[in-house]
mmCIF file with all atom_site columns, all heavy atoms in Angstrom:
data_model
loop_
_atom_site.group_PDB
_atom_site.id
_atom_site.type_symbol
_atom_site.label_atom_id
_atom_site.label_alt_id
_atom_site.label_comp_id
_atom_site.label_asym_id
_atom_site.label_entity_id
_atom_site.label_seq_id
_atom_site.pdbx_PDB_ins_code
_atom_site.Cartn_x
_atom_site.Cartn_y
_atom_site.Cartn_z
_atom_site.occupancy
_atom_site.B_iso_or_equiv
_atom_site.pdbx_formal_charge
_atom_site.auth_seq_id
_atom_site.auth_comp_id
_atom_site.auth_asym_id
_atom_site.auth_atom_id
_atom_site.pdbx_PDB_model_num
ATOM 1   N N   . LEU A 1 1  ? 0.746   -1.217  -0.027 1.00 97.00 ? 28 LEU A N   1
ATOM 2   C CA  . LEU A 1 1  ? 0.005   -0.032  0.011  1.00 97.00 ? 28 LEU A CA  1
ATOM 3   C C   . LEU A 1 1  ? 0.933   1.296   -0.004 1.00 97.00 ? 28 LEU A C   1
ATOM 4   O O   . LEU A 1 1  ? 0.667   2.139   -0.943 1.00 97.00 ? 28 LEU A O   1
ATOM 5   C CB  . LEU A 1 1  ? -0.865  -0.065  1.123  1.00 97.00 ? 28 LEU A CB  1
ATOM 6   C CG  . LEU A 1 1  ? -2.172  -0.881  1.007  1.00 97.00 ? 28 LEU A CG  1
ATOM 7   C CD1 . LEU A 1 1  ? -2.986  -0.893  2.471  1.00 97.00 ? 28 LEU A CD1 1
ATOM 8   C CD2 . LEU A 1 1  ? -3.218  -0.372  -0.086 1.00 97.00 ? 28 LEU A CD2 1
ATOM 9   N N   . PRO A 1 2  ? 1.839   1.525   0.824  1.00 96.00 ? 29 PRO A N   1
ATOM 10  C CA  . PRO A 1 2  ? 2.588   2.628   0.848  1.00 96.00 ? 29 PRO A CA  1
ATOM 11  C C   . PRO A 1 2  ? 3.244   2.853   -0.461 1.00 96.00 ? 29 PRO A C   1
ATOM 12  O O   . PRO A 1 2  ? 3.422   4.061   -0.894 1.00 96.00 ? 29 PRO A O   1
ATOM 13  C CB  . PRO A 1 2  ? 3.544   2.517   1.992  1.00 96.00 ? 29 PRO A CB  1
ATOM 14  C CG  . PRO A 1 2  ? 3.035   1.530   2.913  1.00 96.00 ? 29 PRO A CG  1
ATOM 15  C CD  . PRO A 1 2  ? 2.259   0.538   2.053  1.00 96.00 ? 29 PRO A CD  1
ATOM 16  N N   . ARG A 1 3  ? 3.761   1.781   -0.999 1.00 95.00 ? 30 ARG A N   1
ATOM 17  C CA  . ARG A 1 3  ? 4.576   1.926   -2.311 1.00 95.00 ? 30 ARG A CA  1
ATOM 18  C C   . ARG A 1 3  ? 3.611   2.291   -3.394 1.00 95.00 ? 30 ARG A C   1
ATOM 19  O O   . ARG A 1 3  ? 4.015   3.126   -4.280 1.00 95.00 ? 30 ARG A O   1
ATOM 20  C CB  . ARG A 1 3  ? 5.231   0.584   -2.626 1.00 95.00 ? 30 ARG A CB  1
ATOM 21  C CG  . ARG A 1 3  ? 5.897   0.503   -3.876 1.00 95.00 ? 30 ARG A CG  1
ATOM 22  C CD  . ARG A 1 3  ? 6.966   -0.687  -4.044 1.00 95.00 ? 30 ARG A CD  1
ATOM 23  N NE  . ARG A 1 3  ? 6.186   -1.890  -3.678 1.00 95.00 ? 30 ARG A NE  1
ATOM 24  C CZ  . ARG A 1 3  ? 5.528   -2.718  -4.411 1.00 95.00 ? 30 ARG A CZ  1
ATOM 25  N NH1 . ARG A 1 3  ? 5.322   -2.346  -5.653 1.00 95.00 ? 30 ARG A NH1 1
ATOM 26  N NH2 . ARG A 1 3  ? 4.970   -3.886  -4.011 1.00 95.00 ? 30 ARG A NH2 1
ATOM 27  N N   . LEU A 1 4  ? 2.390   1.755   -3.421 1.00 96.00 ? 31 LEU A N   1
ATOM 28  C CA  . LEU A 1 4  ? 1.459   2.054   -4.545 1.00 96.00 ? 31 LEU A CA  1
ATOM 29  C C   . LEU A 1 4  ? 0.639   3.329   -4.374 1.00 96.00 ? 31 LEU A C   1
ATOM 30  O O   . LEU A 1 4  ? 0.338   3.942   -5.405 1.00 96.00 ? 31 LEU A O   1
ATOM 31  C CB  . LEU A 1 4  ? 0.453   0.833   -4.681 1.00 96.00 ? 31 LEU A CB  1
ATOM 32  C CG  . LEU A 1 4  ? 1.097   -0.597  -5.030 1.00 96.00 ? 31 LEU A CG  1
ATOM 33  C CD1 . LEU A 1 4  ? -0.002  -1.651  -4.864 1.00 96.00 ? 31 LEU A CD1 1
ATOM 34  C CD2 . LEU A 1 4  ? 1.670   -0.514  -6.480 1.00 96.00 ? 31 LEU A CD2 1
ATOM 35  N N   . TYR A 1 5  ? 0.363   3.637   -3.106 1.00 96.00 ? 32 TYR A N   1
ATOM 36  C CA  . TYR A 1 5  ? -0.647  4.818   -2.943 1.00 96.00 ? 32 TYR A CA  1
ATOM 37  C C   . TYR A 1 5  ? -0.228  5.881   -2.002 1.00 96.00 ? 32 TYR A C   1
ATOM 38  O O   . TYR A 1 5  ? -0.932  6.698   -1.621 1.00 96.00 ? 32 TYR A O   1
ATOM 39  C CB  . TYR A 1 5  ? -2.092  4.167   -2.521 1.00 96.00 ? 32 TYR A CB  1
ATOM 40  C CG  . TYR A 1 5  ? -2.613  3.225   -3.425 1.00 96.00 ? 32 TYR A CG  1
ATOM 41  C CD1 . TYR A 1 5  ? -2.568  1.835   -3.066 1.00 96.00 ? 32 TYR A CD1 1
ATOM 42  C CD2 . TYR A 1 5  ? -3.015  3.517   -4.695 1.00 96.00 ? 32 TYR A CD2 1
ATOM 43  C CE1 . TYR A 1 5  ? -3.181  0.936   -4.024 1.00 96.00 ? 32 TYR A CE1 1
ATOM 44  C CE2 . TYR A 1 5  ? -3.510  2.631   -5.570 1.00 96.00 ? 32 TYR A CE2 1
ATOM 45  C CZ  . TYR A 1 5  ? -3.623  1.313   -5.336 1.00 96.00 ? 32 TYR A CZ  1
ATOM 46  O OH  . TYR A 1 5  ? -4.088  0.535   -6.173 1.00 96.00 ? 32 TYR A OH  1
ATOM 47  N N   . GLY A 1 6  ? 0.985   5.604   -1.427 1.00 95.00 ? 33 GLY A N   1
ATOM 48  C CA  . GLY A 1 6  ? 1.546   6.580   -0.440 1.00 95.00 ? 33 GLY A CA  1
ATOM 49  C C   . GLY A 1 6  ? 1.015   6.400   1.007  1.00 95.00 ? 33 GLY A C   1
ATOM 50  O O   . GLY A 1 6  ? 0.408   5.421   1.166  1.00 95.00 ? 33 GLY A O   1
ATOM 51  N N   . PRO A 1 7  ? 1.387   7.299   1.923  1.00 95.00 ? 34 PRO A N   1
ATOM 52  C CA  . PRO A 1 7  ? 1.117   7.116   3.265  1.00 95.00 ? 34 PRO A CA  1
ATOM 53  C C   . PRO A 1 7  ? -0.423  7.152   3.629  1.00 95.00 ? 34 PRO A C   1
ATOM 54  O O   . PRO A 1 7  ? -0.827  6.669   4.674  1.00 95.00 ? 34 PRO A O   1
ATOM 55  C CB  . PRO A 1 7  ? 1.867   8.100   3.928  1.00 95.00 ? 34 PRO A CB  1
ATOM 56  C CG  . PRO A 1 7  ? 2.045   9.223   2.934  1.00 95.00 ? 34 PRO A CG  1
ATOM 57  C CD  . PRO A 1 7  ? 2.167   8.485   1.728  1.00 95.00 ? 34 PRO A CD  1
ATOM 58  N N   . GLY A 1 8  ? -1.166  7.773   2.745  1.00 95.00 ? 35 GLY A N   1
ATOM 59  C CA  . GLY A 1 8  ? -2.712  8.059   3.119  1.00 95.00 ? 35 GLY A CA  1
ATOM 60  C C   . GLY A 1 8  ? -3.674  7.078   2.344  1.00 95.00 ? 35 GLY A C   1
ATOM 61  O O   . GLY A 1 8  ? -4.665  7.529   1.806  1.00 95.00 ? 35 GLY A O   1
ATOM 62  N N   . ALA A 1 9  ? -3.134  5.958   1.974  1.00 97.00 ? 36 ALA A N   1
ATOM 63  C CA  . ALA A 1 9  ? -3.983  4.832   1.272  1.00 97.00 ? 36 ALA A CA  1
ATOM 64  C C   . ALA A 1 9  ? -5.277  4.574   1.974  1.00 97.00 ? 36 ALA A C   1
ATOM 65  O O   . ALA A 1 9  ? -5.506  4.681   3.166  1.00 97.00 ? 36 ALA A O   1
ATOM 66  C CB  . ALA A 1 9  ? -3.194  3.517   1.218  1.00 97.00 ? 36 ALA A CB  1
ATOM 67  N N   . ARG A 1 10 ? -6.362  4.530   1.058  1.00 97.00 ? 37 ARG A N   1
ATOM 68  C CA  . ARG A 1 10 ? -7.757  4.327   1.519  1.00 97.00 ? 37 ARG A CA  1
ATOM 69  C C   . ARG A 1 10 ? -8.088  2.812   1.279  1.00 97.00 ? 37 ARG A C   1
ATOM 70  O O   . ARG A 1 10 ? -8.055  2.376   0.209  1.00 97.00 ? 37 ARG A O   1
ATOM 71  C CB  . ARG A 1 10 ? -8.630  5.295   0.743  1.00 97.00 ? 37 ARG A CB  1
ATOM 72  C CG  . ARG A 1 10 ? -8.235  6.793   0.993  1.00 97.00 ? 37 ARG A CG  1
ATOM 73  C CD  . ARG A 1 10 ? -8.882  7.646   -0.123 1.00 97.00 ? 37 ARG A CD  1
ATOM 74  N NE  . ARG A 1 10 ? -8.417  7.268   -1.340 1.00 97.00 ? 37 ARG A NE  1
ATOM 75  C CZ  . ARG A 1 10 ? -9.063  7.611   -2.495 1.00 97.00 ? 37 ARG A CZ  1
ATOM 76  N NH1 . ARG A 1 10 ? -10.086 8.587   -2.492 1.00 97.00 ? 37 ARG A NH1 1
ATOM 77  N NH2 . ARG A 1 10 ? -8.652  7.319   -3.656 1.00 97.00 ? 37 ARG A NH2 1
ATOM 78  N N   . VAL A 1 11 ? -8.433  2.266   2.410  1.00 98.00 ? 38 VAL A N   1
ATOM 79  C CA  . VAL A 1 11 ? -8.740  0.723   2.305  1.00 98.00 ? 38 VAL A CA  1
ATOM 80  C C   . VAL A 1 11 ? -10.117 0.356   2.720  1.00 98.00 ? 38 VAL A C   1
ATOM 81  O O   . VAL A 1 11 ? -10.595 0.843   3.858  1.00 98.00 ? 38 VAL A O   1
ATOM 82  C CB  . VAL A 1 11 ? -7.669  -0.057  3.219  1.00 98.00 ? 38 VAL A CB  1
ATOM 83  C CG1 . VAL A 1 11 ? -7.866  -1.535  3.203  1.00 98.00 ? 38 VAL A CG1 1
ATOM 84  C CG2 . VAL A 1 11 ? -6.283  0.265   2.793  1.00 98.00 ? 38 VAL A CG2 1
ATOM 85  N N   . GLY A 1 12 ? -10.731 -0.488  1.956  1.00 97.00 ? 39 GLY A N   1
ATOM 86  C CA  . GLY A 1 12 ? -12.046 -1.038  2.420  1.00 97.00 ? 39 GLY A CA  1
ATOM 87  C C   . GLY A 1 12 ? -11.895 -2.623  2.510  1.00 97.00 ? 39 GLY A C   1
ATOM 88  O O   . GLY A 1 12 ? -11.151 -3.181  1.767  1.00 97.00 ? 39 GLY A O   1
ATOM 89  N N   . VAL A 1 13 ? -12.560 -3.100  3.497  1.00 97.00 ? 40 VAL A N   1
ATOM 90  C CA  . VAL A 1 13 ? -12.556 -4.621  3.702  1.00 97.00 ? 40 VAL A CA  1
ATOM 91  C C   . VAL A 1 13 ? -13.988 -5.124  3.839  1.00 97.00 ? 40 VAL A C   1
ATOM 92  O O   . VAL A 1 13 ? -14.744 -4.690  4.821  1.00 97.00 ? 40 VAL A O   1
ATOM 93  C CB  . VAL A 1 13 ? -11.767 -5.039  4.941  1.00 97.00 ? 40 VAL A CB  1
ATOM 94  C CG1 . VAL A 1 13 ? -11.736 -6.502  5.067  1.00 97.00 ? 40 VAL A CG1 1
ATOM 95  C CG2 . VAL A 1 13 ? -10.256 -4.578  4.771  1.00 97.00 ? 40 VAL A CG2 1
ATOM 96  N N   . VAL A 1 14 ? -14.487 -6.058  2.942  1.00 96.00 ? 41 VAL A N   1
ATOM 97  C CA  . VAL A 1 14 ? -15.761 -6.544  3.157  1.00 96.00 ? 41 VAL A CA  1
ATOM 98  C C   . VAL A 1 14 ? -15.617 -7.975  3.898  1.00 96.00 ? 41 VAL A C   1
ATOM 99  O O   . VAL A 1 14 ? -15.119 -8.840  3.349  1.00 96.00 ? 41 VAL A O   1
ATOM 100 C CB  . VAL A 1 14 ? -16.371 -6.834  1.654  1.00 96.00 ? 41 VAL A CB  1
ATOM 101 C CG1 . VAL A 1 14 ? -17.790 -7.545  1.836  1.00 96.00 ? 41 VAL A CG1 1
ATOM 102 C CG2 . VAL A 1 14 ? -16.494 -5.539  0.917  1.00 96.00 ? 41 VAL A CG2 1
ATOM 103 N N   . GLY A 1 15 ? -16.195 -7.878  4.998  1.00 92.00 ? 42 GLY A N   1
ATOM 104 C CA  . GLY A 1 15 ? -16.087 -9.132  5.824  1.00 92.00 ? 42 GLY A CA  1
ATOM 105 C C   . GLY A 1 15 ? -15.104 -8.823  6.978  1.00 92.00 ? 42 GLY A C   1
ATOM 106 O O   . GLY A 1 15 ? -13.871 -8.852  6.801  1.00 92.00 ? 42 GLY A O   1
ATOM 107 N N   . LEU A 1 16 ? -15.566 -8.742  8.248  1.00 92.00 ? 43 LEU A N   1
ATOM 108 C CA  . LEU A 1 16 ? -14.722 -8.381  9.329  1.00 92.00 ? 43 LEU A CA  1
ATOM 109 C C   . LEU A 1 16 ? -13.892 -9.561  9.927  1.00 92.00 ? 43 LEU A C   1
ATOM 110 O O   . LEU A 1 16 ? -12.862 -9.572  10.226 1.00 92.00 ? 43 LEU A O   1
ATOM 111 C CB  . LEU A 1 16 ? -15.538 -7.592  10.437 1.00 92.00 ? 43 LEU A CB  1
ATOM 112 C CG  . LEU A 1 16 ? -14.843 -7.108  11.811 1.00 92.00 ? 43 LEU A CG  1
ATOM 113 C CD1 . LEU A 1 16 ? -13.639 -6.314  11.390 1.00 92.00 ? 43 LEU A CD1 1
ATOM 114 C CD2 . LEU A 1 16 ? -15.711 -6.546  12.694 1.00 92.00 ? 43 LEU A CD2 1
ATOM 115 N N   . GLY A 1 17 ? -14.732 -10.643 10.233 1.00 89.00 ? 44 GLY A N   1
ATOM 116 C CA  . GLY A 1 17 ? -14.188 -11.841 10.966 1.00 89.00 ? 44 GLY A CA  1
ATOM 117 C C   . GLY A 1 17 ? -13.652 -11.481 12.159 1.00 89.00 ? 44 GLY A C   1
ATOM 118 O O   . GLY A 1 17 ? -14.326 -10.731 13.044 1.00 89.00 ? 44 GLY A O   1
ATOM 119 N N   . SER A 1 18 ? -12.528 -11.917 12.524 1.00 92.00 ? 45 SER A N   1
ATOM 120 C CA  . SER A 1 18 ? -11.879 -11.624 13.900 1.00 92.00 ? 45 SER A CA  1
ATOM 121 C C   . SER A 1 18 ? -11.087 -10.332 13.801 1.00 92.00 ? 45 SER A C   1
ATOM 122 O O   . SER A 1 18 ? -10.560 -9.936  14.697 1.00 92.00 ? 45 SER A O   1
ATOM 123 C CB  . SER A 1 18 ? -10.861 -12.733 14.302 1.00 92.00 ? 45 SER A CB  1
ATOM 124 O OG  . SER A 1 18 ? -9.860  -12.908 13.265 1.00 92.00 ? 45 SER A OG  1
ATOM 125 N N   . GLY A 1 19 ? -10.947 -9.664  12.604 1.00 93.00 ? 46 GLY A N   1
ATOM 126 C CA  . GLY A 1 19 ? -10.412 -8.394  12.435 1.00 93.00 ? 46 GLY A CA  1
ATOM 127 C C   . GLY A 1 19 ? -8.846  -8.470  12.182 1.00 93.00 ? 46 GLY A C   1
ATOM 128 O O   . GLY A 1 19 ? -8.068  -7.600  12.263 1.00 93.00 ? 46 GLY A O   1
ATOM 129 N N   . THR A 1 20 ? -8.471  -9.727  11.657 1.00 95.00 ? 47 THR A N   1
ATOM 130 C CA  . THR A 1 20 ? -7.041  -9.992  11.422 1.00 95.00 ? 47 THR A CA  1
ATOM 131 C C   . THR A 1 20 ? -6.474  -8.903  10.505 1.00 95.00 ? 47 THR A C   1
ATOM 132 O O   . THR A 1 20 ? -5.234  -8.422  10.779 1.00 95.00 ? 47 THR A O   1
ATOM 133 C CB  . THR A 1 20 ? -6.876  -11.364 10.751 1.00 95.00 ? 47 THR A CB  1
ATOM 134 O OG1 . THR A 1 20 ? -7.687  -12.289 11.426 1.00 95.00 ? 47 THR A OG1 1
ATOM 135 C CG2 . THR A 1 20 ? -5.399  -11.712 10.679 1.00 95.00 ? 47 THR A CG2 1
ATOM 136 N N   . LEU A 1 21 ? -7.165  -8.477  9.439  1.00 96.00 ? 48 LEU A N   1
ATOM 137 C CA  . LEU A 1 21 ? -6.398  -7.612  8.372  1.00 96.00 ? 48 LEU A CA  1
ATOM 138 C C   . LEU A 1 21 ? -6.216  -6.222  9.031  1.00 96.00 ? 48 LEU A C   1
ATOM 139 O O   . LEU A 1 21 ? -5.446  -5.498  8.416  1.00 96.00 ? 48 LEU A O   1
ATOM 140 C CB  . LEU A 1 21 ? -7.355  -7.317  7.274  1.00 96.00 ? 48 LEU A CB  1
ATOM 141 C CG  . LEU A 1 21 ? -7.448  -8.654  6.238  1.00 96.00 ? 48 LEU A CG  1
ATOM 142 C CD1 . LEU A 1 21 ? -8.378  -8.426  5.154  1.00 96.00 ? 48 LEU A CD1 1
ATOM 143 C CD2 . LEU A 1 21 ? -5.934  -8.941  5.640  1.00 96.00 ? 48 LEU A CD2 1
ATOM 144 N N   . ALA A 1 22 ? -6.889  -5.822  10.033 1.00 95.00 ? 49 ALA A N   1
ATOM 145 C CA  . ALA A 1 22 ? -6.632  -4.568  10.691 1.00 95.00 ? 49 ALA A CA  1
ATOM 146 C C   . ALA A 1 22 ? -5.116  -4.344  11.124 1.00 95.00 ? 49 ALA A C   1
ATOM 147 O O   . ALA A 1 22 ? -4.603  -3.203  11.173 1.00 95.00 ? 49 ALA A O   1
ATOM 148 C CB  . ALA A 1 22 ? -7.511  -4.344  11.903 1.00 95.00 ? 49 ALA A CB  1
ATOM 149 N N   . CYS A 1 23 ? -4.402  -5.458  11.259 1.00 95.00 ? 50 CYS A N   1
ATOM 150 C CA  . CYS A 1 23 ? -2.988  -5.291  11.813 1.00 95.00 ? 50 CYS A CA  1
ATOM 151 C C   . CYS A 1 23 ? -2.157  -5.086  10.627 1.00 95.00 ? 50 CYS A C   1
ATOM 152 O O   . CYS A 1 23 ? -0.793  -4.935  10.778 1.00 95.00 ? 50 CYS A O   1
ATOM 153 C CB  . CYS A 1 23 ? -2.542  -6.610  12.547 1.00 95.00 ? 50 CYS A CB  1
ATOM 154 S SG  . CYS A 1 23 ? -3.164  -6.638  14.227 1.00 95.00 ? 50 CYS A SG  1
ATOM 155 N N   . TYR A 1 24 ? -2.574  -4.857  9.480  1.00 96.00 ? 51 TYR A N   1
ATOM 156 C CA  . TYR A 1 24 ? -1.784  -4.214  8.398  1.00 96.00 ? 51 TYR A CA  1
ATOM 157 C C   . TYR A 1 24 ? -1.874  -2.793  8.214  1.00 96.00 ? 51 TYR A C   1
ATOM 158 O O   . TYR A 1 24 ? -1.197  -2.206  7.385  1.00 96.00 ? 51 TYR A O   1
ATOM 159 C CB  . TYR A 1 24 ? -2.200  -4.880  6.921  1.00 96.00 ? 51 TYR A CB  1
ATOM 160 C CG  . TYR A 1 24 ? -1.612  -6.325  6.769  1.00 96.00 ? 51 TYR A CG  1
ATOM 161 C CD1 . TYR A 1 24 ? -2.610  -7.415  6.841  1.00 96.00 ? 51 TYR A CD1 1
ATOM 162 C CD2 . TYR A 1 24 ? -0.345  -6.627  6.514  1.00 96.00 ? 51 TYR A CD2 1
ATOM 163 C CE1 . TYR A 1 24 ? -2.233  -8.697  6.576  1.00 96.00 ? 51 TYR A CE1 1
ATOM 164 C CE2 . TYR A 1 24 ? 0.088   -7.902  6.275  1.00 96.00 ? 51 TYR A CE2 1
ATOM 165 C CZ  . TYR A 1 24 ? -0.822  -8.965  6.345  1.00 96.00 ? 51 TYR A CZ  1
ATOM 166 O OH  . TYR A 1 24 ? -0.393  -10.132 6.075  1.00 96.00 ? 51 TYR A OH  1
ATOM 167 N N   . ALA A 1 25 ? -2.789  -2.250  9.119  1.00 96.00 ? 52 ALA A N   1
ATOM 168 C CA  . ALA A 1 25 ? -3.026  -0.716  8.960  1.00 96.00 ? 52 ALA A CA  1
ATOM 169 C C   . ALA A 1 25 ? -1.789  -0.016  9.581  1.00 96.00 ? 52 ALA A C   1
ATOM 170 O O   . ALA A 1 25 ? -1.123  -0.337  10.382 1.00 96.00 ? 52 ALA A O   1
ATOM 171 C CB  . ALA A 1 25 ? -4.346  -0.367  9.805  1.00 96.00 ? 52 ALA A CB  1
ATOM 172 N N   . ARG A 1 26 ? -1.482  1.176   8.832  1.00 95.00 ? 53 ARG A N   1
ATOM 173 C CA  . ARG A 1 26 ? -0.391  2.002   9.182  1.00 95.00 ? 53 ARG A CA  1
ATOM 174 C C   . ARG A 1 26 ? -0.962  3.440   9.431  1.00 95.00 ? 53 ARG A C   1
ATOM 175 O O   . ARG A 1 26 ? -1.953  3.932   8.965  1.00 95.00 ? 53 ARG A O   1
ATOM 176 C CB  . ARG A 1 26 ? 0.621   2.025   8.136  1.00 95.00 ? 53 ARG A CB  1
ATOM 177 C CG  . ARG A 1 26 ? 1.283   0.671   7.696  1.00 95.00 ? 53 ARG A CG  1
ATOM 178 C CD  . ARG A 1 26 ? 2.125   0.372   8.992  1.00 95.00 ? 53 ARG A CD  1
ATOM 179 N NE  . ARG A 1 26 ? 2.793   -0.965  8.757  1.00 95.00 ? 53 ARG A NE  1
ATOM 180 C CZ  . ARG A 1 26 ? 2.194   -2.091  9.244  1.00 95.00 ? 53 ARG A CZ  1
ATOM 181 N NH1 . ARG A 1 26 ? 1.096   -2.028  9.925  1.00 95.00 ? 53 ARG A NH1 1
ATOM 182 N NH2 . ARG A 1 26 ? 2.804   -3.285  9.124  1.00 95.00 ? 53 ARG A NH2 1
#
C-alpha cells in the first residue's frame, strides 16, 4: 500500500471476521 498509494492509502474490507487484516493498517 505505501509503495502504490503513499502514506494516506484508503482501504475497504468486506467481511470483518476476527479483524485480522486490521494489523496491516499504518
Side-chain angles (χ1 to χ4, degrees):
L28 281 173
R30 174 166 52 88
L31 295 175
Y32 303 109
R37 301 162 301 171
V38 180
V40 177
V41 175
L43 177 60
S45 59
T47 310
L48 285 176
C50 284
Y51 284 108
R53 296 293 176 264

